[in-house]
PDB file of all heavy atoms in Angstrom:
ATOM      1  N   LYS A 633      -5.004  22.505  -0.937  1.00 90.00           N
ATOM      2  CA  LYS A 633      -4.753  21.135  -0.693  1.00 90.00           C
ATOM      3  C   LYS A 633      -5.991  20.240  -0.937  1.00 90.00           C
ATOM      4  O   LYS A 633      -5.969  19.258  -1.608  1.00 90.00           O
ATOM      5  CB  LYS A 633      -4.238  20.882   0.709  1.00 90.00           C
ATOM      6  CG  LYS A 633      -2.925  21.595   1.125  1.00 90.00           C
ATOM      7  CD  LYS A 633      -2.537  21.190   2.408  1.00 90.00           C
ATOM      8  CE  LYS A 633      -3.465  21.581   3.587  1.00 90.00           C
ATOM      9  NZ  LYS A 633      -3.692  23.007   3.599  1.00 90.00           N
ATOM     10  N   HIS A 659      -8.039  20.709  14.682  1.00 57.00           N
ATOM     11  CA  HIS A 659      -9.199  20.859  15.454  1.00 57.00           C
ATOM     12  C   HIS A 659      -9.820  19.500  15.869  1.00 57.00           C
ATOM     13  O   HIS A 659      -9.617  18.494  15.206  1.00 57.00           O
ATOM     14  CB  HIS A 659     -10.271  21.579  14.778  1.00 57.00           C
ATOM     15  CG  HIS A 659      -9.733  22.985  14.198  1.00 57.00           C
ATOM     16  ND1 HIS A 659      -9.350  24.058  14.983  1.00 57.00           N
ATOM     17  CD2 HIS A 659      -9.395  23.368  12.955  1.00 57.00           C
ATOM     18  CE1 HIS A 659      -8.906  25.064  14.132  1.00 57.00           C
ATOM     19  NE2 HIS A 659      -8.949  24.665  12.912  1.00 57.00           N
ATOM     20  N   GLY A 667     -26.110  13.265  21.914  1.00 74.00           N
ATOM     21  CA  GLY A 667     -27.578  12.836  22.004  1.00 74.00           C
ATOM     22  C   GLY A 667     -27.835  11.556  21.232  1.00 74.00           C
ATOM     23  O   GLY A 667     -28.871  10.798  21.399  1.00 74.00           O
ATOM     24  N   GLU A 698      -2.394  10.636  23.875  1.00 74.00           N
ATOM     25  CA  GLU A 698      -1.670  11.243  22.774  1.00 74.00           C
ATOM     26  C   GLU A 698      -2.293  10.912  21.455  1.00 74.00           C
ATOM     27  O   GLU A 698      -2.679   9.665  21.279  1.00 74.00           O
ATOM     28  CB  GLU A 698      -0.113  10.724  22.800  1.00 74.00           C
ATOM     29  CG  GLU A 698       0.675  11.304  23.909  1.00 74.00           C
ATOM     30  CD  GLU A 698       0.846  12.803  23.823  1.00 74.00           C
ATOM     31  OE1 GLU A 698       1.104  13.295  22.669  1.00 74.00           O
ATOM     32  OE2 GLU A 698       0.820  13.506  24.877  1.00 74.00           O
ATOM     33  N   GLU A 707      -2.258   1.490   9.699  1.00 87.00           N
ATOM     34  CA  GLU A 707      -2.345   0.043   9.978  1.00 87.00           C
ATOM     35  C   GLU A 707      -3.731  -0.474  10.082  1.00 87.00           C
ATOM     36  O   GLU A 707      -3.997  -1.659   9.962  1.00 87.00           O
ATOM     37  CB  GLU A 707      -1.557  -0.256  11.376  1.00 87.00           C
ATOM     38  CG  GLU A 707      -0.087  -0.272  11.232  1.00 87.00           C
ATOM     39  CD  GLU A 707       0.575  -0.458  12.495  1.00 87.00           C
ATOM     40  OE1 GLU A 707      -0.101  -0.640  13.527  1.00 87.00           O
ATOM     41  OE2 GLU A 707       1.835  -0.462  12.610  1.00 87.00           O
ATOM     42  N   ILE A 728       3.788  15.954  -2.097  1.00 96.00           N
ATOM     43  CA  ILE A 728       3.695  17.070  -2.927  1.00 96.00           C
ATOM     44  C   ILE A 728       3.245  18.219  -2.130  1.00 96.00           C
ATOM     45  O   ILE A 728       2.215  18.240  -1.473  1.00 96.00           O
ATOM     46  CB  ILE A 728       2.732  16.745  -4.163  1.00 96.00           C
ATOM     47  CG1 ILE A 728       3.227  15.587  -5.036  1.00 96.00           C
ATOM     48  CG2 ILE A 728       2.409  18.021  -4.947  1.00 96.00           C
ATOM     49  CD1 ILE A 728       2.214  15.202  -6.092  1.00 96.00           C
ATOM     50  N   ALA A 797     -17.202 -14.029 -37.061  1.00 95.00           N
ATOM     51  CA  ALA A 797     -17.918 -15.158 -37.511  1.00 95.00           C
ATOM     52  C   ALA A 797     -19.342 -15.331 -36.928  1.00 95.00           C
ATOM     53  O   ALA A 797     -19.549 -14.894 -35.710  1.00 95.00           O
ATOM     54  CB  ALA A 797     -17.093 -16.483 -37.208  1.00 95.00           C
ATOM     55  N   THR A 844      -3.228  -9.755 -10.441  1.00 88.00           N
ATOM     56  CA  THR A 844      -2.834 -10.482  -9.243  1.00 88.00           C
ATOM     57  C   THR A 844      -1.394 -10.644  -9.038  1.00 88.00           C
ATOM     58  O   THR A 844      -0.816 -10.430  -7.968  1.00 88.00           O
ATOM     59  CB  THR A 844      -3.577 -11.823  -9.141  1.00 88.00           C
ATOM     60  OG1 THR A 844      -5.009 -11.643  -9.204  1.00 88.00           O
ATOM     61  CG2 THR A 844      -3.142 -12.508  -7.785  1.00 88.00           C
ATOM     62  N   ARG A 847       1.660  -7.460 -12.455  1.00 90.00           N
ATOM     63  CA  ARG A 847       2.157  -7.104 -13.812  1.00 90.00           C
ATOM     64  C   ARG A 847       1.270  -6.165 -14.641  1.00 90.00           C
ATOM     65  O   ARG A 847       0.007  -6.158 -14.439  1.00 90.00           O
ATOM     66  CB  ARG A 847       2.444  -8.396 -14.689  1.00 90.00           C
ATOM     67  CG  ARG A 847       3.575  -9.248 -14.078  1.00 90.00           C
ATOM     68  CD  ARG A 847       3.967 -10.297 -15.081  1.00 90.00           C
ATOM     69  NE  ARG A 847       2.953 -11.437 -15.056  1.00 90.00           N
ATOM     70  CZ  ARG A 847       2.993 -12.486 -14.304  1.00 90.00           C
ATOM     71  NH1 ARG A 847       4.021 -12.542 -13.515  1.00 90.00           N
ATOM     72  NH2 ARG A 847       2.172 -13.511 -14.424  1.00 90.00           N
ATOM     73  N   PHE A 857     -10.957   0.760 -33.355  1.00 98.00           N
ATOM     74  CA  PHE A 857     -11.534   1.189 -32.052  1.00 98.00           C
ATOM     75  C   PHE A 857     -12.424   2.376 -32.222  1.00 98.00           C
ATOM     76  O   PHE A 857     -13.085   2.759 -31.238  1.00 98.00           O
ATOM     77  CB  PHE A 857     -10.389   1.593 -31.091  1.00 98.00           C
ATOM     78  CG  PHE A 857      -9.889   0.461 -30.213  1.00 98.00           C
ATOM     79  CD1 PHE A 857     -10.031  -0.875 -30.671  1.00 98.00           C
ATOM     80  CD2 PHE A 857      -9.248   0.624 -28.907  1.00 98.00           C
ATOM     81  CE1 PHE A 857      -9.589  -1.867 -29.893  1.00 98.00           C
ATOM     82  CE2 PHE A 857      -8.781  -0.271 -28.237  1.00 98.00           C
ATOM     83  CZ  PHE A 857      -8.866  -1.626 -28.619  1.00 98.00           C
ATOM     84  N   PHE A 863     -19.543  10.171 -36.737  1.00 97.00           N
ATOM     85  CA  PHE A 863     -20.473   9.089 -36.543  1.00 97.00           C
ATOM     86  C   PHE A 863     -20.940   8.913 -35.077  1.00 97.00           C
ATOM     87  O   PHE A 863     -22.093   8.736 -34.801  1.00 97.00           O
ATOM     88  CB  PHE A 863     -19.763   7.798 -37.084  1.00 97.00           C
ATOM     89  CG  PHE A 863     -20.632   6.585 -37.105  1.00 97.00           C
ATOM     90  CD1 PHE A 863     -21.795   6.505 -37.952  1.00 97.00           C
ATOM     91  CD2 PHE A 863     -20.428   5.460 -36.299  1.00 97.00           C
ATOM     92  CE1 PHE A 863     -22.574   5.460 -37.891  1.00 97.00           C
ATOM     93  CE2 PHE A 863     -21.256   4.445 -36.254  1.00 97.00           C
ATOM     94  CZ  PHE A 863     -22.288   4.344 -37.136  1.00 97.00           C
ATOM     95  N   ALA A 882     -25.112  -2.133 -25.629  1.00 97.00           N
ATOM     96  CA  ALA A 882     -26.480  -2.256 -25.250  1.00 97.00           C
ATOM     97  C   ALA A 882     -27.513  -2.554 -26.276  1.00 97.00           C
ATOM     98  O   ALA A 882     -28.609  -2.975 -25.984  1.00 97.00           O
ATOM     99  CB  ALA A 882     -26.885  -0.828 -24.657  1.00 97.00           C
ATOM    100  N   ILE A 884     -26.367  -4.509 -29.620  1.00 97.00           N
ATOM    101  CA  ILE A 884     -26.067  -5.601 -30.565  1.00 97.00           C
ATOM    102  C   ILE A 884     -26.219  -6.924 -29.725  1.00 97.00           C
ATOM    103  O   ILE A 884     -25.629  -7.002 -28.556  1.00 97.00           O
ATOM    104  CB  ILE A 884     -24.661  -5.448 -31.048  1.00 97.00           C
ATOM    105  CG1 ILE A 884     -24.674  -4.272 -32.031  1.00 97.00           C
ATOM    106  CG2 ILE A 884     -24.332  -6.771 -31.850  1.00 97.00           C
ATOM    107  CD1 ILE A 884     -23.327  -4.139 -32.650  1.00 97.00           C
ATOM    108  N   PRO A 924     -27.008  -2.699 -48.395  1.00 96.00           N
ATOM    109  CA  PRO A 924     -26.761  -3.279 -49.687  1.00 96.00           C
ATOM    110  C   PRO A 924     -25.560  -4.250 -49.577  1.00 96.00           C
ATOM    111  O   PRO A 924     -24.749  -4.239 -48.640  1.00 96.00           O
ATOM    112  CB  PRO A 924     -26.246  -2.076 -50.535  1.00 96.00           C
ATOM    113  CG  PRO A 924     -25.659  -1.081 -49.572  1.00 96.00           C
ATOM    114  CD  PRO A 924     -26.478  -1.299 -48.271  1.00 96.00           C
ATOM    115  N   LYS A 927     -20.777  -1.644 -51.967  1.00 94.00           N
ATOM    116  CA  LYS A 927     -20.644  -0.284 -51.629  1.00 94.00           C
ATOM    117  C   LYS A 927     -21.440   0.677 -52.547  1.00 94.00           C
ATOM    118  O   LYS A 927     -21.278   0.642 -53.826  1.00 94.00           O
ATOM    119  CB  LYS A 927     -19.269   0.223 -51.588  1.00 94.00           C
ATOM    120  CG  LYS A 927     -19.138   1.700 -51.178  1.00 94.00           C
ATOM    121  CD  LYS A 927     -17.730   2.261 -51.453  1.00 94.00           C
ATOM    122  CE  LYS A 927     -17.661   3.705 -51.322  1.00 94.00           C
ATOM    123  NZ  LYS A 927     -16.407   4.286 -51.712  1.00 94.00           N
ATOM    124  N   LEU A 928     -22.501   1.274 -51.983  1.00 94.00           N
ATOM    125  CA  LEU A 928     -23.249   2.164 -52.810  1.00 94.00           C
ATOM    126  C   LEU A 928     -23.327   3.679 -52.214  1.00 94.00           C
ATOM    127  O   LEU A 928     -23.683   4.579 -52.830  1.00 94.00           O
ATOM    128  CB  LEU A 928     -24.811   1.816 -52.902  1.00 94.00           C
ATOM    129  CG  LEU A 928     -25.058   0.320 -53.515  1.00 94.00           C
ATOM    130  CD1 LEU A 928     -26.526   0.037 -53.393  1.00 94.00           C
ATOM    131  CD2 LEU A 928     -24.554   0.414 -54.992  1.00 94.00           C
ATOM    132  N   ALA A 949      -5.337  -0.982 -44.802  1.00 88.00           N
ATOM    133  CA  ALA A 949      -6.496  -1.343 -43.854  1.00 88.00           C
ATOM    134  C   ALA A 949      -7.816  -1.096 -44.439  1.00 88.00           C
ATOM    135  O   ALA A 949      -7.981  -0.061 -45.108  1.00 88.00           O
ATOM    136  CB  ALA A 949      -6.370  -0.434 -42.575  1.00 88.00           C
ATOM    137  N   PHE A 979     -12.344  -3.953 -15.558  1.00 92.00           N
ATOM    138  CA  PHE A 979     -10.980  -3.931 -15.054  1.00 92.00           C
ATOM    139  C   PHE A 979     -10.530  -2.411 -14.884  1.00 92.00           C
ATOM    140  O   PHE A 979      -9.239  -2.270 -14.614  1.00 92.00           O
ATOM    141  CB  PHE A 979      -9.967  -4.679 -15.935  1.00 92.00           C
ATOM    142  CG  PHE A 979     -10.218  -6.136 -15.919  1.00 92.00           C
ATOM    143  CD1 PHE A 979     -11.033  -6.683 -16.985  1.00 92.00           C
ATOM    144  CD2 PHE A 979      -9.715  -6.884 -14.887  1.00 92.00           C
ATOM    145  CE1 PHE A 979     -11.320  -8.159 -16.883  1.00 92.00           C
ATOM    146  CE2 PHE A 979      -9.960  -8.262 -14.820  1.00 92.00           C
ATOM    147  CZ  PHE A 979     -10.776  -8.840 -15.809  1.00 92.00           C
ATOM    148  N   PRO A 992      -2.936   0.124 -14.881  1.00 87.00           N
ATOM    149  CA  PRO A 992      -2.436  -1.243 -14.903  1.00 87.00           C
ATOM    150  C   PRO A 992      -2.714  -2.093 -16.155  1.00 87.00           C
ATOM    151  O   PRO A 992      -2.043  -2.896 -16.552  1.00 87.00           O
ATOM    152  CB  PRO A 992      -3.197  -1.853 -13.639  1.00 87.00           C
ATOM    153  CG  PRO A 992      -3.592  -0.672 -12.842  1.00 87.00           C
ATOM    154  CD  PRO A 992      -3.861   0.342 -13.770  1.00 87.00           C
ATOM    155  N   MET A1032       9.855  -3.981 -27.312  1.00 96.00           N
ATOM    156  CA  MET A1032       9.861  -2.662 -27.251  1.00 96.00           C
ATOM    157  C   MET A1032       9.578  -2.069 -25.840  1.00 96.00           C
ATOM    158  O   MET A1032      10.097  -0.958 -25.468  1.00 96.00           O
ATOM    159  CB  MET A1032       8.968  -1.998 -28.311  1.00 96.00           C
ATOM    160  CG  MET A1032       9.410  -2.355 -29.771  1.00 96.00           C
ATOM    161  SD  MET A1032       8.389  -1.576 -31.043  1.00 96.00           S
ATOM    162  CE  MET A1032       8.994   0.078 -30.949  1.00 96.00           C
ATOM    163  N   ALA A1063       6.277   1.222 -38.733  1.00 93.00           N
ATOM    164  CA  ALA A1063       6.362  -0.303 -38.954  1.00 93.00           C
ATOM    165  C   ALA A1063       7.762  -0.801 -38.957  1.00 93.00           C
ATOM    166  O   ALA A1063       8.058  -1.883 -38.432  1.00 93.00           O
ATOM    167  CB  ALA A1063       5.740  -0.610 -40.423  1.00 93.00           C
TER     168      ALA A1063
END
Side-chain angles (χ1 to χ4, degrees):
K633 302 185 298 298
H659 308 287
E698 288 295 321
E707 285 177 1
I728 292 175
T844 301
R847 289 190 285 268
F857 272 25
F863 185 66
I884 294 182
K927 180 190 169 185
L928 299 177
F979 293 97
M1032 295 185 74

